[in-house]
Amino acid sequence: MVARGSQVSRSWHLAFDDLSRGWKQRALWGHLGWQDIKQRYRRSVLGPLWITISMAVTAIALGVLYAGLFGNPIERQLPYILVGFVVWAFIGGCITEGSTVFISNAGLIKHLPAPVSVHVFRLIWRQVLFFAHNLVVYVVMFAVFPQPLGLGSLLVFPAFALLIANGMWVALLIGIVSTRFRDLPPVTQSVVQLMFFLTPIVWIYEDLQNSDNAAIRDRARFAELNPFLHFLETIRRPLLGQSFELRHWVVVLVITVIGWALALVVMRNYRSRVSYWV
Amino acid sequence: MVSIRVRSASVDFPIFDAKSRSLKTTVLGVVGGRIGANASRVVVVKALQDIDLDLDHGARVALIGHNGAGKSTLLRLLSGIYEPTSGTAEVTGRVAPVFDLAVGMDPEISGLDNIMIRGLFLGMTHEQMQERVDDIAEFTELGDYLRMPIRTYSTGMRVRLALGVVTSIDPEILLLDEGIGAVDAAFLRKARKRLTDLVDRSGLLVLASHSDELLRELCDTAIWLDHGQIRQQGPLEPVLEAYKNRPGGR
């Protein structure tokens, strides 16, 4: 039984219903996500690994360059950059592709009835699969520069789970708003690119915190205002065998809750408009 | 129980890129829905206005009307793709739509893969679709072509594939848009048998088309849509006749 109309379209019930029906269609988005990956393997031996390779090449080149510039040992700078790149590829992918998640599926949305969340699940699943490909970089790096992993490194699993949960709300929120305001996708792209430089990926945040120069120490504190720093640290620290820092987790949890609340409000009010706007 | 209950439902499309100022006054064209502007000065196309509709088990309904009369929009309203901007649309039963045949099919992957994806979209599981593949292959007569990428298919072959999928999954509400006329007469007869069996067994059918032949083949009642409103509704032949004899009609 499906009841739809203007009075009932804007309801929490239908917003949650969309998400739960989307989740139940795992077979569908699971298949579509795989298809997206297989697409890249078609007629190509390495397929999506090409993205991994080009990322690794950039990261290694930057790693060598910045190790020289900052005077850091390569075995410290390179793993830091490589892990940062792998995690950032996921974050950036979720956000930039999130902004076009409904626009690029306009055909499907207008021709086959399905919960809007199906397209978001498919996107996140595809990004998770890309992430899995990119982990090859970490494995190779680990073989060359072993990291002091411990029990605390297991924290990477809840950290990645939180990152996925955040990718989900970001894609839902930006996806819906971008469908209405088409200026948003290019703006999103620029902001993501900018954030790449503002986030400690190629530069090591702790080095600035511990700088001999008092002015730099002061300025380094501003990096804490960048939410991406906290997401990155929750995953990077365990992968590099560094200590647990509570504040990163607190920030990530707070953002998860606020973000989902926002996304749910947008889902409640505009979910039914997506098929009109695409 | 299968049923469609639509109560004074309207579908208004906001057109954000149209210059709302120049179109502030309501324009009434010959083709298409009514164009107006809502309170926030966004131009809206009133694709459907005040639709009331009751359809039950066994109905085989033809949707007729000029281009842009709202036939496809009504089908999308019934399939749940559009939720009405005012009024209500209650659809009870498992819906299977066949609209644009190119969409929802990836041209680069094989017919078999496309059957799977279509089926999953319509709420089937992997296993359920696996069981039906042979049946679909037999019905569509595509044979080894099913292993070829869809881009090698003709329009008629795509229609066969799409019809094969929707008729194999035992849907309760079948919504078909134009396009399906692209198949040859022999296949159409075969499809007709399968479609009418389906409707008799469990469901109802709504078909939008400009081909009288196809409509007579599959439907027994008709709805004439005009500028997004229902102009006439009843047994097929009289409505078709009235539509033909409309002022400005053929």
Side-chain angles (χ1 to χ4, degrees):
Chain A
M1 168 90 170
V2 195
R4 291 193 172 93
S6 58
Q7 298 85 3
V8 285
S9 269
R10 292 191 171 188
S11 81
W12 292 110
H13 169 70
L14 286 179
F16 285 111
D17 185 57
D18 187 289
L19 284 167
S20 79
R21 281 190 304 136
W23 176 247
K24 283 194 193 113
Q25 288 195 280
R26 288 189 288 280
L28 171 63
W29 51 260
H31 192 91
L32 288 170
W34 263 119
Q35 205 78 52
D36 292 336
I37 298 279
K38 277 202 267 178
Q39 195 100 335
R40 310 221 183 196
Y41 272 116
R42 188 167 300 127
R43 296 187 191 183
S44 154
V45 182
L46 292 179
L49 282 177
W50 280 114
I51 302 174
T52 307
I53 291 170
S54 88
M55 188 188 75
V57 169
T58 317
I60 290 168
L62 285 177
V64 173
L65 173 70
Y66 278 76
L69 286 178
F70 291 136
N72 287 331
I74 189 96
E75 63 270 22
R76 181 164 127 78
Q77 183 83 37
L78 200 54
Y80 189 88
I81 288 192
L82 281 169
V83 174
F85 261 70
V86 170
V87 178
W88 187 261
F90 182 86
I91 295 176
C94 286
I95 300 175
T96 47
E97 288 192 23
S99 69
T100 55
V101 65
F102 300 123
I103 301 172
S104 59
N105 285 311
L108 287 176
I109 291 172
K110 277 201 179 286
H111 289 92
L112 289 167
V116 296
S117 59
V118 159
H119 304 283
V120 175
F121 280 121
R122 172 194 185 174
L123 161 68
I124 302 296
W125 173 231
R126 179 173 64 226
Q127 289 298 332
V128 169
L129 292 174
F130 278 140
F131 185 82
H133 276 85
N134 290 342
L135 278 183
V136 173
V137 173
Y138 180 75
V139 173
V140 173
M141 177 212 87
F142 195 86
V144 182
F145 304 111
Q147 302 297 314
L149 297 191
L151 265 184
S153 299
L154 291 175
L155 279 171
V156 73
F157 294 106
F160 189 59
L162 276 170
L163 193 61
I164 290 175
N166 280 275
M168 206 41 218
W169 75 254
V170 167
L172 268 173
L173 180 72
I174 305 194
I176 293 177
V177 181
S178 304
T179 311
R180 169 67 183 83
F181 299 101
R182 298 298 172 95
D183 298 313
L184 216 60
V187 171
T188 309
Q189 241 174 29
S190 314
V191 170
V192 168
Q193 209 160 51
L194 178 66
M195 291 318 292
F196 171 81
F197 293 105
L198 292 183
T199 307
I201 296 166
V202 289
W203 45 278
I204 301 178
Y205 169 54
E206 283 185 334
D207 286 357
L208 302 182
Q209 276 181 315
N210 304 326
S211 167
D212 300 331
N213 185 330
I216 290 181
R217 276 204 303 279
D218 273 352
R219 277 178 239 150
R221 287 212 309 267
F222 284 106
E224 294 273 343
L225 295 175
N226 175 359
F228 293 106
L229 174 141
H230 301 283
F231 281 98
L232 203 58
E233 289 290 54
T234 52
I235 295 193
R236 186 168 48 199
R237 297 188 73 87
L239 281 178
L240 296 180
Q242 293 168 332
S243 62
F244 171 79
E245 292 276 351
L246 183 65
R247 71 177 191 288
H248 300 311
W249 288 82
V250 172
V251 172
V252 165
L253 281 170
V254 169
I255 290 178
T256 311
V257 172
I258 294 175
W260 265 104
L262 258 174
L264 283 170
V265 169
V266 171
M267 269 290 272
R268 174 190 180 274
N269 290 340
Y270 302 110
R271 173 196 53 81
S272 67
R273 302 303 292 165
V274 169
S275 58
Y276 281 80
W277 288 341
V278 294
Chain B
M1 227 8 239
V2 180
S3 75
I4 291 178
R5 301 268 172 275
V6 182
R7 293 283 169 270
S8 54
S10 298
V11 170
D12 297 345
F13 286 104
I15 308 296
F16 298 112
D17 42 7
K19 288 278 173 292
S20 44
R21 264 168 201 287
S22 57
L23 284 171
K24 211 157 62 184
T25 48
T26 306
V27 186
L28 178 57
V30 180
V31 169
R34 286 162 210 273
I35 302 169
N38 67 10
S40 55
R41 282 202 178 167
V42 173
V43 177
V44 292
V45 171
K46 295 180 185 299
L48 289 177
Q49 276 180 288
D50 275 325
I51 301 287
D52 283 293
L53 196 59
D54 284 281
L55 298 176
D56 289 288
H57 176 208
R60 288 183 283 132
V61 188
L63 274 186
I64 53 178
H66 58 71
N67 295 125
K71 301 189 293 294
S72 301
T73 310
L74 181 56
L75 286 176
R76 282 178 196 164
L77 179 76
L78 299 182
S79 73
I81 291 172
Y82 296 142
E83 295 177 19
T85 29
S86 65
T88 57
E90 282 181 35
V91 177
T92 315
R94 206 145 55 109
V95 180
V98 180
F99 299 158
D100 191 325
L101 294 155
V103 177
M105 295 212 192
D106 186 335
E108 289 298 323
I109 63 179
S110 71
L112 287 173
D113 279 340
N114 272 297
I115 288 175
M116 182 60 79
I117 290 179
R118 282 245 141 184
L120 291 173
F121 254 110
L122 298 173
M124 295 276 112
T125 63
H126 267 283
E127 293 73 32
Q128 286 173 319
M129 284 316 287
Q130 222 88 56
E131 288 164 15
R132 285 163 171 79
V133 162
D134 289 338
D135 175 47
I136 297 171
E138 193 193 334
F139 171 67
T140 57
E141 299 167 355
L142 287 172
D144 286 341
Y145 256 101
L146 284 176
R147 290 177 214 294
M148 303 280 278
I150 289 266
R151 67 184 144 85
T152 62
Y153 285 31
S154 71
T155 315
M157 290 163 79
R158 287 177 193 218
V159 180
R160 284 174 176 232
L161 192 73
L163 280 179
V165 175
V166 290
T167 54
S168 76
I169 63 166
D170 259 319
E172 292 165 322
I173 299 176
L174 260 172
L175 305 171
L176 309 179
D177 205 350
E178 335 249 13
I180 71 159
V183 291
D184 51 52
F187 185 76
L188 196 59
R189 268 194 297 281
K190 195 168 156 188
R192 176 181 195 272
K193 168 107 182 58
R194 209 155 141 138
L195 287 171
T196 44
D197 279 356
L198 254 179
V199 174
D200 291 341
R201 197 159 64 239
S202 64
L204 65 87
L205 163 79
V206 184
L207 163 67
S209 175
H210 291 289
S211 154
D212 298 352
E213 212 177 311
L214 187 64
L215 293 173
R216 289 201 178 100
E217 194 76 16
L218 292 172
C219 306
D220 53 9
T221 56
I223 293 171
W224 172 9
L225 276 177
D226 192 28
H227 291 300
Q229 287 168 312
I230 295 182
R231 177 89 163 256
Q232 199 179 337
Q233 186 177 0
L236 180 65
E237 289 302 334
V239 178
L240 215 47
E241 197 59 30
Y243 174 63
K244 287 275 143 65
N245 296 328
R246 73 194 186 279
R250 195 180 50 169

